[in-house]
Amino acid sequence: MGLETASRARRLGSFQLADFPKPTGREEQWRFTPIADLARLCDPDLAADVAVEVAGPPGPGVSVEQVGLDHPAIGLAPAPGDRLAAAAWAASRTATLVTLAGTDPAAITQVSLVGGDGSWTPLPSAAHVAIRARRDARGIVLLRHTGLARLAEGVEITVEEGADVTVVAVHDWAAGAVHAASHRARLLKDARLRHVVVSLGGALTRVTPHIELAGEGAQVEALGINVTDSGQHHEAQLFIDHQGRSCVSRATYKGALLGPSARSVWVGDVLIRSRAEGTDTYEENRNLVLSKGARADSVPNLEIETGRIEGAGHASATGRFDEEQLFYLQARGIPAELARSLVVHAFFAELIGRIGSDEIEAALRAAVDAKLDQRRRPLP
Amino acid sequence: MTTLEIRDLHVSVDTPEGVKPILNGVDLTVRSGETHALMGPNGSGKSTLAYSLAGHPKYQVTQGSVTLDGEDLLAMSVDQRARAGLFLAMQYPVEVPGVTVANFLRTARTALSGQAPPLRAWVKEVGAAMDALRFDREFSERSVNEGFSGGEKKRHEILQLELLRPKIAILDETDSGLDVDALRVVSEGVNRAQATTGAGIMLITHYTRILDHIRPDFVHVFVAGRIAEEGGPDLAARLEAEGYDRFLTTA
């Protein structure tokens, strides 16, 4: 693998499907991915076999509408960066456009992408969601993914000057679901984004957040959680592109691997372009392995084109919940499953506490609980 | 009144060289309110006895029985043994990153008693126990055993002894690595726990100095995986004077 292809600065972005050959699995950005399971989602003839539901009437200053991809508010974020993202774009006929112009930072707009109930085989599908935070807007968008689906999804996020918003994507798919999500965000001057990716369900999820700090003084906090059990592959490939001066990025992704064939991948690319003077960036990935055989790949990567920065760092660590820890907790009367739950909750507590919405934090704690509870039930 | 009864206990451990017998027929009875000092040279199997009773998966019981008030302790899981009233203060307490002492103690107490303790009374009880063991209140927000000094680890074990109120407590070399002051604080904690709960105590130690603070009713000399001699507190004084050589040469 040469420097040319490994460099994020030189990697292609395009809305044209033909610009991206079908991946073979040998390319740098595909080498961790079970590509065969995603092959069908690389084609442009995808259906729309996933229902998009909006919870309740939008709050003050918020609108949710179905629009064509030629709508002026669509396509403002960075272009697709891989074949799956380009296929999702090429195959989508309409987009769900969420426009935030409200002032309540706690107001939640929930959009659900709902797959089948398992009584039919889901068609390979595409969907496009656009979130546009207007100047100085506040608010939270919660994207929920449930049911059984095979989905290539594009999520574009534009955060205009002075806006400060949170986008939370929860992947709580039914067992067997296959999902590739390309999140592409562009932040203008002094914009702030808290971007949260939560992967709990499905057989395979691959989320590729691409966050472009375009305007001076923009700030992003990128948070990720995965709770991965046997038979699941949860992958996140994060790309933070520092373009504007004096931008700040903080990325914290944490994963817990429960079962012996659990598999997670985290790639964190941070690019500081030559004009991004005064950049301050830090990214970290922590994994907690609760079972022998589970595997977590973690690849942080910093690419720096200017020396005039405030700070740049990264950290990656994988820890084990081992037999001795389990023995210690059990020796105090705590049953094994509760001991695991205690350790997993402790592992995620601080990260979940950073989301800044009591409602979403409580829902996430409950979702992690539910995921751990699944293990207590005997397998059918 | 609780009775821990160990009869003809044989225990082996798997090693790269094969199965190695460590305990070769231990007989010991510990009742509520009694303090038994289990003394012996390094490698005699004292800690193996402690961990076997607690149910550590590394050890296989090959013969014998252990009952707690007539119930078969060996048939129970590790957590069931603790809920039956057994406690092991460990020589090497394990780090549990992210889980705070406060959360750990409350979870353990809840698991042991079957219900969460009333909050106000619990906070008061924990505070008093921490003060008595010379802990700062900030200690409760630290991760269990993570970055603790040797003395903090041992005091934390005794904090649990006081708050979890077992019927039978095994203290595995709780005195090792403690300075004079810490030894006194820890010993006071053990005596306090016993006075409050009437627990039976099995005190495993290599040295006699802790016995100046915790007075044993019975002293057992442990050699080559079994009890070689038993006596009263005077036996400890003899060991202090003569060492273990007498037992090692005749064993």
Side-chain angles (χ1 to χ4, degrees), chain B residues 2-6 9 49-56 61 64-87 168 170 202:
Chain B
T2 293
T3 306
L4 174 73
E5 205 166 313
I6 306 165
L9 188 67
L49 176 63
Y51 279 80
S52 301
L53 294 176
H56 194 286
V61 174
S65 67
V66 181
T67 59
L68 190 66
D69 289 334
E71 297 286 321
D72 181 2
L73 198 72
L74 300 178
M76 300 180 195
S77 64
V78 176
D79 50 303
Q80 284 170 336
R81 294 178 199 208
R83 293 199 294 277
L86 190 74
F87 178 86
I168 301 288
I170 305 164
M202 188 195 298

Side-chain angles (χ1 to χ4, degrees), chain A residues 121-202:
Chain A
T121 304
L123 299 172
S125 295
H128 191 80
V129 177
I131 297 163
R132 190 183 193 196
R134 304 311 305 260
R135 190 178 175 133
D136 296 325
R138 299 287 182 273
I140 300 168
V141 176
L142 173 61
L143 295 177
R144 291 198 66 214
H145 303 79
T146 58
L148 184 60
R150 286 195 283 166
L151 178 67
E153 181 190 20
V155 176
E156 63 169 284
I157 304 165
T158 47
V159 189
E160 296 181 1
E161 196 172 321
D164 183 351
V165 297
T166 299
V167 174
V168 183
V170 179
H171 306 100
D172 204 6
W173 296 111
V178 173
H179 180 213
S182 164
H183 288 227
R184 303 188 300 274
R186 177 166 285 146
L187 276 63
L188 306 186
K189 187 173 185 299
D190 296 325
R192 289 183 179 218
L193 171 67
R194 199 179 279 116
H195 183 264
V196 188
V197 173
V198 181
S199 296
L200 303 169

Side-chain angles (χ1 to χ4, degrees), chain B residues 147-165:
Chain B
F148 288 13
S149 68
E152 283 174 332
K153 283 182 181 169
K154 297 302 174 71
R155 283 188 286 139
H156 179 235
E157 294 294 289
I158 302 309
L159 178 65
Q160 295 168 56
L161 170 67
E162 290 204 66
L163 292 170
L164 303 182
R165 300 175 179 172

